[in-house]
Amino acid sequence: MAYSSSTQLVLHWFPSKDLVGKCSKNYGIQQSLMFDKRKRAHLSHRILYQDEIFSCKTSHHHKLHNFCKVMRSVIVRSEIAGNGSTSAAYHLPEFQLISKVRGVCFYSVTSIIALFLFVLMVISHPFVVLRDGYQRNFHHLIAKIWACMSVYPFFKVKIQGLENLPPKNSPAVYVSNHQSFLDIYALLTLGRNLKFISKTAIFLFPVVGWAMFLMGLIPLKRMDSRSQLQTLKRCMELVKNGGSVFFFPEGTRSKDGRLGTFKKGAFSIAAKTGVPVVPITLVGTGKIMPAGMETILNPGSVKIIIHPSVQGDNPDTLCSEVKNVITNELINQA
């Protein structure tokens, strides 16, 4: 559960022995907890505000101090939101053994499928490059089959707003929020020829990275300004030749559900080439496989919301408008 600064928490203390009759200012909490001085089991509780918990500092009573540390941890780990709004949060489920088992099964299934389809991709690659060097539609069809066969045994993917997709042969810049490793799987089920921008290290991964190279996806060294410039030039070249590119403008996965700052590269390409920006909101991937917990696969479903395209010649305006669209959708879905 997410808490704001005005959230009230009702805390229950079960004393097993004499403790303290009251909490003084030395404990950092004024009249916040009341301990029963009698030996018998008795429930005492008091409403405790979040700001009071966060003000709790080291005191003479180590038990109270440790209690405050636990409460701070609970609140910090629970504070999740889109663009600072707690209503757009997703809640990370508790660890369960079954989620670990599901994760092992998922990776086993997706790896076996990838091996067979990668062989087909390698065999067909010379013909694809000769006849369809920019789009490589056949490779993207194989990627869609791989994604669908991988995810459908484990969770459902619901797509809303298909009517907002541009025609298949119409170039566009697609952008989305980024919550999980599963985002790529979900987006590939759309069956669109999207050239993802991905960090260079992923292209070195066996099979999956090699397949990304054959598909013509675009590598990027995040901290290298020269690589960033080359990536932008290559994206513009693709768009001018009728291709579509896909960006996660946050640059990385959100670890807590909060929508991060948008980088303007995608919107600069759209503004300079005159193509529309298609905002997409992904919901549910962060619950099923949270960032940093890629070994588990929780039960759940994924929703892909495709919004009407946005067009303009000002990158700042495009960036702000698209971010507002995704933020509002995350809040509505919450």
Side-chain angles (χ1 to χ4, degrees), residues 34-167:
M34 180 175 64
F35 301 102
D36 196 337
K37 299 176 68 173
R38 292 170 290 180
K39 294 286 185 181
R40 64 185 180 86
H42 178 74
L43 173 64
S44 299
H45 68 272
R46 173 68 169 84
I47 294 176
L48 179 60
Y49 289 87
Q50 178 181 339
D51 56 351
E52 294 177 314
I53 294 175
F54 277 86
S55 66
C56 185
K57 302 177 181 178
T58 305
S59 65
H60 300 293
H61 200 290
H62 70 277
K63 291 187 177 180
L64 179 58
H65 175 58
N66 291 339
F67 175 76
C68 292
K69 287 174 66 178
V70 171
M71 290 308 302
R72 283 199 299 269
S73 175
V74 170
I75 292 176
V76 170
R77 292 172 64 87
S78 301
E79 186 82 25
I80 48 181
N83 201 26
S85 171
T86 56
S87 60
Y90 62 78
H91 313 298
L92 302 184
E94 295 180 358
F95 170 79
Q96 293 180 354
L97 178 60
I98 191 170
S99 295
K100 278 278 190 182
V101 175
R102 282 169 55 87
V104 172
C105 293
F106 172 76
Y107 285 114
S108 300
V109 169
T110 193
S111 298
I112 292 171
I113 296 171
L115 283 172
F116 285 100
L117 293 179
F118 179 68
V119 173
L120 179 60
M121 189 178 287
V122 170
I123 294 172
S124 64
H125 184 67
F127 304 98
V128 171
V129 172
L130 287 173
R131 300 193 61 181
D132 189 18
Y134 277 104
Q135 300 283 0
R136 304 188 185 185
N137 287 301
F138 183 74
H139 288 347
H140 283 272
L141 174 61
I142 293 177
K144 178 185 177 181
I145 295 172
W146 169 67
C148 292
M149 293 179 68
S150 297
V151 304
Y152 286 161
F154 299 96
F155 57 88
K156 293 181 179 180
V157 178
K158 302 176 183 178
I159 303 174
Q160 177 182 321
L162 276 173
E163 66 278 3
N164 294 323
L165 284 174

Side-chain angles (χ1 to χ4, degrees), residues 157-276:
V157 178
K158 302 176 183 178
I159 303 174
Q160 177 182 321
L162 276 173
E163 66 278 3
N164 294 323
L165 284 174
K168 283 193 174 183
N169 296 325
S170 177
V173 175
Y174 294 76
V175 298
S176 170
N177 60 312
H178 199 11
Q179 295 183 346
S180 171
F181 175 68
L182 296 178
D183 292 345
I184 300 296
Y185 284 86
L187 291 165
L188 286 175
T189 63
L190 291 174
R192 286 304 177 102
N193 189 334
L194 305 177
K195 303 300 184 186
F196 292 88
I197 287 78
S198 180
K199 60 184 180 181
T200 306
I202 296 181
F203 285 79
L204 302 177
F205 288 3
V207 182
V208 173
W210 303 339
M212 291 169 60
F213 174 79
L214 296 181
M215 291 170 65
L217 304 191
I218 304 169
L220 170 67
K221 294 180 180 178
R222 290 181 181 174
M223 306 307 294
D224 189 334
S225 58
R226 181 178 298 179
S227 175
Q228 294 172 1
L229 183 60
Q230 291 176 346
T231 297
L232 290 177
K233 288 182 178 179
R234 186 172 173 185
C235 288
M236 292 185 67
E237 182 183 358
L238 279 168
V239 170
K240 289 177 180 178
N241 284 276
S244 294
V245 293
F246 188 99
F247 285 82
F248 291 114
E250 295 169 271
T252 188
R253 289 167 293 169
S254 171
K255 295 185 181 297
D256 58 4
R258 192 186 305 271
L259 193 63
T261 302
F262 275 21
K263 297 176 175 60
K264 297 178 183 178
F267 309 102
S268 296
I269 293 171
K272 290 178 180 179
T273 58
V275 300

